[in-house]
PDB file of all heavy atoms in Angstrom:
ATOM      1  N   LEU A  74       8.197 114.125  44.069  1.00 98.00           N
ATOM      2  CA  LEU A  74       7.294 113.911  45.198  1.00 98.00           C
ATOM      3  C   LEU A  74       5.989 113.357  44.657  1.00 98.00           C
ATOM      4  O   LEU A  74       5.398 112.445  45.197  1.00 98.00           O
ATOM      5  CB  LEU A  74       7.042 115.255  45.911  1.00 98.00           C
ATOM      6  CG  LEU A  74       6.901 115.232  47.441  1.00 98.00           C
ATOM      7  CD1 LEU A  74       8.096 114.569  48.039  1.00 98.00           C
ATOM      8  CD2 LEU A  74       6.748 116.676  47.910  1.00 98.00           C
ATOM      9  N   ARG A  75       5.489 113.914  43.543  1.00 98.00           N
ATOM     10  CA  ARG A  75       4.217 113.464  42.989  1.00 98.00           C
ATOM     11  C   ARG A  75       4.315 112.042  42.446  1.00 98.00           C
ATOM     12  O   ARG A  75       3.323 111.315  42.440  1.00 98.00           O
ATOM     13  CB  ARG A  75       3.704 114.440  41.948  1.00 98.00           C
ATOM     14  CG  ARG A  75       3.251 115.757  42.504  1.00 98.00           C
ATOM     15  CD  ARG A  75       2.962 116.797  41.420  1.00 98.00           C
ATOM     16  NE  ARG A  75       1.835 116.476  40.637  1.00 98.00           N
ATOM     17  CZ  ARG A  75       0.563 116.719  40.942  1.00 98.00           C
ATOM     18  NH1 ARG A  75       0.283 117.324  42.029  1.00 98.00           N
ATOM     19  NH2 ARG A  75      -0.403 116.316  40.052  1.00 98.00           N
ATOM     20  N   CYS A  76       5.503 111.665  41.975  1.00 98.00           N
ATOM     21  CA  CYS A  76       5.645 110.251  41.535  1.00 98.00           C
ATOM     22  C   CYS A  76       5.633 109.293  42.747  1.00 98.00           C
ATOM     23  O   CYS A  76       5.044 108.231  42.622  1.00 98.00           O
ATOM     24  CB  CYS A  76       7.052 110.113  40.795  1.00 98.00           C
ATOM     25  SG  CYS A  76       7.083 110.772  39.153  1.00 98.00           S
ATOM     26  N   ILE A  77       6.173 109.748  43.887  1.00 98.00           N
ATOM     27  CA  ILE A  77       6.128 108.879  45.077  1.00 98.00           C
ATOM     28  C   ILE A  77       4.688 108.698  45.569  1.00 98.00           C
ATOM     29  O   ILE A  77       4.308 107.685  46.069  1.00 98.00           O
ATOM     30  CB  ILE A  77       7.036 109.530  46.186  1.00 98.00           C
ATOM     31  CG1 ILE A  77       8.484 109.576  45.779  1.00 98.00           C
ATOM     32  CG2 ILE A  77       6.914 108.607  47.468  1.00 98.00           C
ATOM     33  CD1 ILE A  77       9.361 110.317  46.779  1.00 98.00           C
ATOM     34  N   ASN A  78       3.834 109.750  45.369  1.00 96.00           N
ATOM     35  CA  ASN A  78       2.493 109.706  45.795  1.00 96.00           C
ATOM     36  C   ASN A  78       1.521 109.239  44.651  1.00 96.00           C
ATOM     37  O   ASN A  78       0.269 109.258  44.861  1.00 96.00           O
ATOM     38  CB  ASN A  78       2.055 111.084  46.252  1.00 96.00           C
ATOM     39  CG  ASN A  78       0.693 111.127  46.976  1.00 96.00           C
ATOM     40  OD1 ASN A  78      -0.168 111.891  46.690  1.00 96.00           O
ATOM     41  ND2 ASN A  78       0.521 110.246  47.958  1.00 96.00           N
ATOM     42  N   ALA A  79       2.091 108.812  43.531  1.00 95.00           N
ATOM     43  CA  ALA A  79       1.354 108.312  42.440  1.00 95.00           C
ATOM     44  C   ALA A  79       0.353 109.335  41.840  1.00 95.00           C
ATOM     45  O   ALA A  79      -0.613 109.008  41.218  1.00 95.00           O
ATOM     46  CB  ALA A  79       0.505 107.013  42.822  1.00 95.00           C
ATOM     47  N   LEU A  80       0.686 110.653  41.967  1.00 97.00           N
ATOM     48  CA  LEU A  80      -0.052 111.634  41.364  1.00 97.00           C
ATOM     49  C   LEU A  80       0.363 111.830  39.925  1.00 97.00           C
ATOM     50  O   LEU A  80      -0.264 112.392  39.064  1.00 97.00           O
ATOM     51  CB  LEU A  80       0.016 112.971  42.120  1.00 97.00           C
ATOM     52  CG  LEU A  80      -0.733 112.998  43.467  1.00 97.00           C
ATOM     53  CD1 LEU A  80      -0.307 114.204  44.274  1.00 97.00           C
ATOM     54  CD2 LEU A  80      -2.204 112.940  43.267  1.00 97.00           C
ATOM     55  N   GLU A  81       1.631 111.452  39.693  1.00 97.00           N
ATOM     56  CA  GLU A  81       2.187 111.370  38.341  1.00 97.00           C
ATOM     57  C   GLU A  81       2.727 109.924  38.168  1.00 97.00           C
ATOM     58  O   GLU A  81       3.203 109.292  39.162  1.00 97.00           O
ATOM     59  CB  GLU A  81       3.441 112.291  38.160  1.00 97.00           C
ATOM     60  CG  GLU A  81       3.115 113.756  38.300  1.00 97.00           C
ATOM     61  CD  GLU A  81       2.297 114.328  37.192  1.00 97.00           C
ATOM     62  OE1 GLU A  81       2.038 113.627  36.255  1.00 97.00           O
ATOM     63  OE2 GLU A  81       1.885 115.531  37.416  1.00 97.00           O
ATOM     64  N   GLN A  82       2.593 109.401  36.933  1.00 96.00           N
ATOM     65  CA  GLN A  82       3.122 108.025  36.748  1.00 96.00           C
ATOM     66  C   GLN A  82       4.489 108.207  36.040  1.00 96.00           C
ATOM     67  O   GLN A  82       4.579 108.761  34.933  1.00 96.00           O
ATOM     68  CB  GLN A  82       2.224 107.216  35.846  1.00 96.00           C
ATOM     69  CG  GLN A  82       2.693 105.764  35.787  1.00 96.00           C
ATOM     70  CD  GLN A  82       1.641 104.845  35.402  1.00 96.00           C
ATOM     71  OE1 GLN A  82       0.421 105.077  35.608  1.00 96.00           O
ATOM     72  NE2 GLN A  82       1.956 103.665  34.782  1.00 96.00           N
ATOM     73  N   PRO A  83       5.589 107.651  36.642  1.00 97.00           N
ATOM     74  CA  PRO A  83       6.867 107.733  36.003  1.00 97.00           C
ATOM     75  C   PRO A  83       6.918 106.950  34.695  1.00 97.00           C
ATOM     76  O   PRO A  83       6.133 106.014  34.520  1.00 97.00           O
ATOM     77  CB  PRO A  83       7.800 107.066  37.058  1.00 97.00           C
ATOM     78  CG  PRO A  83       7.018 107.062  38.310  1.00 97.00           C
ATOM     79  CD  PRO A  83       5.604 107.044  37.967  1.00 97.00           C
ATOM     80  N   ASP A  84       7.836 107.249  33.790  1.00 97.00           N
ATOM     81  CA  ASP A  84       8.015 106.502  32.594  1.00 97.00           C
ATOM     82  C   ASP A  84       8.897 105.236  32.808  1.00 97.00           C
ATOM     83  O   ASP A  84       8.676 104.195  32.230  1.00 97.00           O
ATOM     84  CB  ASP A  84       8.747 107.320  31.481  1.00 97.00           C
ATOM     85  CG  ASP A  84       7.998 108.651  31.273  1.00 97.00           C
ATOM     86  OD1 ASP A  84       6.736 108.608  31.306  1.00 97.00           O
ATOM     87  OD2 ASP A  84       8.628 109.709  31.100  1.00 97.00           O
ATOM     88  N   LYS A  85       9.801 105.388  33.756  1.00 97.00           N
ATOM     89  CA  LYS A  85      10.741 104.350  34.089  1.00 97.00           C
ATOM     90  C   LYS A  85      11.038 104.437  35.564  1.00 97.00           C
ATOM     91  O   LYS A  85      10.929 105.499  36.146  1.00 97.00           O
ATOM     92  CB  LYS A  85      12.068 104.627  33.310  1.00 97.00           C
ATOM     93  CG  LYS A  85      12.187 103.958  32.000  1.00 97.00           C
ATOM     94  CD  LYS A  85      13.649 104.101  31.591  1.00 97.00           C
ATOM     95  CE  LYS A  85      13.756 104.104  30.082  1.00 97.00           C
ATOM     96  NZ  LYS A  85      15.053 104.494  29.690  1.00 97.00           N
ATOM     97  N   GLY A  86      11.594 103.351  36.050  1.00 98.00           N
ATOM     98  CA  GLY A  86      12.071 103.287  37.452  1.00 98.00           C
ATOM     99  C   GLY A  86      11.328 102.295  38.325  1.00 98.00           C
ATOM    100  O   GLY A  86      10.317 101.768  37.916  1.00 98.00           O
ATOM    101  N   ILE A  87      11.929 101.976  39.420  1.00 98.00           N
ATOM    102  CA  ILE A  87      11.409 101.023  40.346  1.00 98.00           C
ATOM    103  C   ILE A  87      11.223 101.692  41.710  1.00 98.00           C
ATOM    104  O   ILE A  87      12.171 102.292  42.208  1.00 98.00           O
ATOM    105  CB  ILE A  87      12.336  99.784  40.452  1.00 98.00           C
ATOM    106  CG1 ILE A  87      12.473  99.135  39.066  1.00 98.00           C
ATOM    107  CG2 ILE A  87      11.734  98.738  41.371  1.00 98.00           C
ATOM    108  CD1 ILE A  87      13.530  97.998  39.032  1.00 98.00           C
ATOM    109  N   ILE A  88      10.024 101.553  42.280  1.00 98.00           N
ATOM    110  CA  ILE A  88       9.800 102.014  43.695  1.00 98.00           C
ATOM    111  C   ILE A  88       9.545 100.837  44.512  1.00 98.00           C
ATOM    112  O   ILE A  88       8.601 100.008  44.223  1.00 98.00           O
ATOM    113  CB  ILE A  88       8.611 103.018  43.717  1.00 98.00           C
ATOM    114  CG1 ILE A  88       8.905 104.244  42.883  1.00 98.00           C
ATOM    115  CG2 ILE A  88       8.241 103.402  45.162  1.00 98.00           C
ATOM    116  CD1 ILE A  88       7.840 105.363  42.900  1.00 98.00           C
ATOM    117  N   THR A  89      10.284 100.701  45.609  1.00 98.00           N
ATOM    118  CA  THR A  89      10.201  99.534  46.433  1.00 98.00           C
ATOM    119  C   THR A  89      10.009  99.985  47.920  1.00 98.00           C
ATOM    120  O   THR A  89      10.729 100.870  48.338  1.00 98.00           O
ATOM    121  CB  THR A  89      11.487  98.614  46.363  1.00 98.00           C
ATOM    122  OG1 THR A  89      11.788  98.437  44.998  1.00 98.00           O
ATOM    123  CG2 THR A  89      11.235  97.301  47.042  1.00 98.00           C
ATOM    124  N   PHE A  90       9.114  99.296  48.654  1.00 98.00           N
ATOM    125  CA  PHE A  90       8.980  99.502  50.075  1.00 98.00           C
ATOM    126  C   PHE A  90       9.502  98.215  50.893  1.00 98.00           C
ATOM    127  O   PHE A  90       9.489  97.140  50.300  1.00 98.00           O
ATOM    128  CB  PHE A  90       7.558  99.833  50.483  1.00 98.00           C
ATOM    129  CG  PHE A  90       7.147 101.253  50.138  1.00 98.00           C
ATOM    130  CD1 PHE A  90       6.771 101.596  48.852  1.00 98.00           C
ATOM    131  CD2 PHE A  90       7.299 102.216  51.072  1.00 98.00           C
ATOM    132  CE1 PHE A  90       6.376 102.843  48.512  1.00 98.00           C
ATOM    133  CE2 PHE A  90       6.904 103.569  50.761  1.00 98.00           C
ATOM    134  CZ  PHE A  90       6.523 103.912  49.509  1.00 98.00           C
ATOM    135  N   ASP A  91       9.810  98.407  52.126  1.00 97.00           N
ATOM    136  CA  ASP A  91      10.419  97.279  52.826  1.00 97.00           C
ATOM    137  C   ASP A  91       9.430  96.157  53.222  1.00 97.00           C
ATOM    138  O   ASP A  91       9.776  95.146  53.713  1.00 97.00           O
ATOM    139  CB  ASP A  91      11.138  97.794  54.107  1.00 97.00           C
ATOM    140  CG  ASP A  91      10.223  98.410  55.102  1.00 97.00           C
ATOM    141  OD1 ASP A  91       8.967  98.552  54.822  1.00 97.00           O
ATOM    142  OD2 ASP A  91      10.728  98.804  56.227  1.00 97.00           O
ATOM    143  N   ASP A  92       8.109  96.431  52.936  1.00 97.00           N
ATOM    144  CA  ASP A  92       7.131  95.352  53.172  1.00 97.00           C
ATOM    145  C   ASP A  92       6.963  94.431  51.910  1.00 97.00           C
ATOM    146  O   ASP A  92       6.063  93.645  51.882  1.00 97.00           O
ATOM    147  CB  ASP A  92       5.785  95.989  53.528  1.00 97.00           C
ATOM    148  CG  ASP A  92       5.204  96.868  52.499  1.00 97.00           C
ATOM    149  OD1 ASP A  92       5.847  97.006  51.374  1.00 97.00           O
ATOM    150  OD2 ASP A  92       4.102  97.435  52.717  1.00 97.00           O
ATOM    151  N   GLY A  93       7.858  94.650  50.923  1.00 96.00           N
ATOM    152  CA  GLY A  93       7.767  93.755  49.736  1.00 96.00           C
ATOM    153  C   GLY A  93       7.030  94.400  48.578  1.00 96.00           C
ATOM    154  O   GLY A  93       7.024  93.841  47.483  1.00 96.00           O
ATOM    155  N   PHE A  94       6.388  95.603  48.815  1.00 97.00           N
ATOM    156  CA  PHE A  94       5.654  96.250  47.748  1.00 97.00           C
ATOM    157  C   PHE A  94       6.643  96.781  46.743  1.00 97.00           C
ATOM    158  O   PHE A  94       7.585  97.453  47.124  1.00 97.00           O
ATOM    159  CB  PHE A  94       4.778  97.351  48.319  1.00 97.00           C
ATOM    160  CG  PHE A  94       4.098  98.145  47.294  1.00 97.00           C
ATOM    161  CD1 PHE A  94       2.864  97.783  46.814  1.00 97.00           C
ATOM    162  CD2 PHE A  94       4.622  99.304  46.804  1.00 97.00           C
ATOM    163  CE1 PHE A  94       2.182  98.500  45.861  1.00 97.00           C
ATOM    164  CE2 PHE A  94       4.001 100.092  45.787  1.00 97.00           C
ATOM    165  CZ  PHE A  94       2.800  99.655  45.361  1.00 97.00           C
ATOM    166  N   GLU A  95       6.391  96.488  45.496  1.00 97.00           N
ATOM    167  CA  GLU A  95       7.287  97.034  44.419  1.00 97.00           C
ATOM    168  C   GLU A  95       6.520  97.322  43.164  1.00 97.00           C
ATOM    169  O   GLU A  95       5.603  96.621  42.755  1.00 97.00           O
ATOM    170  CB  GLU A  95       8.356  95.975  44.166  1.00 97.00           C
ATOM    171  CG  GLU A  95       9.325  96.428  43.069  1.00 97.00           C
ATOM    172  CD  GLU A  95      10.562  95.519  42.928  1.00 97.00           C
ATOM    173  OE1 GLU A  95      11.297  95.445  43.898  1.00 97.00           O
ATOM    174  OE2 GLU A  95      10.752  94.946  41.827  1.00 97.00           O
ATOM    175  N   ILE A  96       6.828  98.484  42.529  1.00 98.00           N
ATOM    176  CA  ILE A  96       6.340  98.772  41.227  1.00 98.00           C
ATOM    177  C   ILE A  96       7.455  99.024  40.255  1.00 98.00           C
ATOM    178  O   ILE A  96       8.351  99.868  40.611  1.00 98.00           O
ATOM    179  CB  ILE A  96       5.420 100.023  41.191  1.00 98.00           C
ATOM    180  CG1 ILE A  96       4.226  99.865  42.064  1.00 98.00           C
ATOM    181  CG2 ILE A  96       4.934 100.267  39.777  1.00 98.00           C
ATOM    182  CD1 ILE A  96       3.163 100.959  41.956  1.00 98.00           C
TER     183      ILE A  96
END
Side-chain angles (χ1 to χ4, degrees):
L74 218 54
R75 290 173 63 85
C76 286
I77 299 173
N78 191 234
L80 291 167
E81 299 289 353
Q82 185 160 337
D84 305 322
K85 267 192 209 169
I87 302 175
I88 297 183
T89 313
F90 284 84
D91 65 355
D92 60 1
F94 176 86
E95 178 170 301
I96 300 189

